[in-house]
């Protein structure tokens, strides 16, 4: 059965990458949550998608230039009239909140624009502290950092994110010891033997961002392992 992972939490129903969005995902019956992590100026792992706080909060500036204290005072629910102000959470706060659930955690390292040296290792250590490795897949568009993580001895599952029409990614991903392919939706439509070939190579296929009903049904029919969607409630209802 295809799993439903809530993209940035249930970001169609609540402010993205906030604890409210993760709680909503659980309420809507998601199997897991996908969210994005970056580092503050003083090294806190923070859960936010963009390299700046401008789009999603009432602040401005680069995440890498702001301290955790400055970031934690911002409201990440701007534009959501039905929501009280929501803070940007740290990864520690998210793991504390979700430890007692059974949700899968797809943690995307946002280290392709700002390099954030050591982000993967820091995330990995925190996951170990909470003993949550069995529920985690780390993914990134920065494939060098995924490879380095495994070279450093991490046994965490890793997913190779991509948007381009790569040639035989199922032959490439094992070179970086990855356990999953995380293609954008259109790749799964373009390369019709993807799922079969990936599974033959013992790789999961977790596809994003699958929002429209026809897309949800089509991806499930293709046999992907998880769909990553802004609308986990819609997906759950369609796939029941
Ligand atoms: O991890 C899947 C997806 O989140 C990758 O793109 O930009 O939404 O983080 P983005
Ligand atoms: Mg993401």
């Amino acid at each position: 059965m295809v799993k439903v992972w809530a993209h940035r939490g249930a970001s169609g129903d609540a402010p993205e990458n906030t604890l409210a969005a993760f709680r909503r995902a659980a309420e809507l019956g998601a199997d897991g949550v996908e969210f994005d992590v970056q580092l503050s100026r003083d090294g806190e792992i923070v859960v936010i998608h963009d390299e700046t706080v401008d789009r999603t909060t009432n602040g401005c500036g680069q995440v890498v230039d702001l301290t955790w204290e400055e970031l934690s005072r911002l409201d990440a629910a701007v534009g959501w009239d039905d929501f009280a102000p929501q803070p940007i959470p740290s990864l520690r706060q998210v793991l504390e909140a979700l430890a007692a659930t059974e949700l899968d955690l797809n943690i995307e390292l946002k280290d392709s624009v700002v390099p954030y040296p050591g982000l993967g290792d820091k995330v990995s250590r925190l996951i170990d502290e909470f003993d949550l490795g069995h529920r985690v897949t780390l993914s990134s568009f920065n494939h060098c950092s995924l490879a380095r993580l495994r070279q450093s001895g991490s046994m965490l599952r890793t997913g190779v994110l991509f948007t381009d029409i790569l040639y035989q990614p199922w032959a490439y991903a094992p070179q970086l010891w990855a356990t999953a392919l995380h293609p954008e939706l259109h790749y799964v439509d373009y390369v019709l033997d993807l799922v079969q070939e990936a599974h033959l190579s013992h790789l999961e296929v977790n596809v994003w961002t699958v929002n429209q009903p026809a897309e949800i049904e089509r991806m499930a029919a293709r046999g992907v392992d998880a769909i990553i969607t802004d609308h986990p409630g819609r997906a759950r209802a369609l796939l029941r």
Side-chain angles (χ1 to χ4, degrees), residues 3 5 31 33 35 90-107 122-138 154-158:
K3 287 184 167 186
W5 287 355
D31 300 296
V33 289
F35 55 91
S90 66
L91 178 61
R92 176 176 292 280
Q93 291 170 330
V94 172
L95 297 185
E96 278 167 2
L98 300 185
T101 71
E102 293 184 347
L103 292 171
D104 297 332
L105 307 176
N106 175 196
I107 304 176
K122 281 184 87 122
V123 169
S124 191
R125 279 198 295 275
L126 198 56
I127 292 162
D128 282 349
E129 189 184 318
F130 281 81
D131 195 21
L132 286 173
H134 58 292
R135 284 168 44 194
V136 168
T137 301
L138 292 187
S154 170
M155 295 302 287
L156 290 172
R157 282 187 294 273
T158 54

Side-chain angles (χ1 to χ4, degrees), residues 7 34 36 108 110:
H7 183 233
E34 185 269 359
D36 311 285
E108 182 185 344
K110 279 285 180 212

Side-chain angles (χ1 to χ4, degrees), residues 7-8 34 36 49 106 108 110 139 141 161 182 208-209 228:
H7 183 233
R8 310 179 194 175
E34 185 269 359
D36 311 285
H49 178 271
N106 175 196
E108 182 185 344
K110 279 285 180 212
S139 57
F141 288 102
L161 275 163
H182 285 213
W208 53 279
T209 304
I228 302 173

Side-chain angles (χ1 to χ4, degrees), residues 1 48 53 66 79 87 90 106 152 162 166 177 233:
M1 183 68 171
I48 187 166
V53 299
L66 296 166
S90 66
N106 175 196
S152 72
F162 58 99
L166 300 183
W177 306 280

Side-chain angles (χ1 to χ4, degrees), residues 133-154:
H134 58 292
R135 284 168 44 194
V136 168
T137 301
L138 292 187
S139 57
S140 181
F141 288 102
N142 182 338
H143 303 172
C144 295
S145 86
L146 292 178
R148 262 198 309 273
L149 195 73
R150 299 288 290 213
Q151 281 168 324
S152 72
S154 170

Side-chain angles (χ1 to χ4, degrees), residues 22-41:
F22 303 139
R23 282 191 212 103
R24 191 84 188 107
E27 287 162 9
L28 291 168
D31 300 296
V33 289
E34 185 269 359
F35 55 91
D36 311 285
V37 294
Q38 316 207 27
L39 287 180
S40 69
R41 191 171 99 199

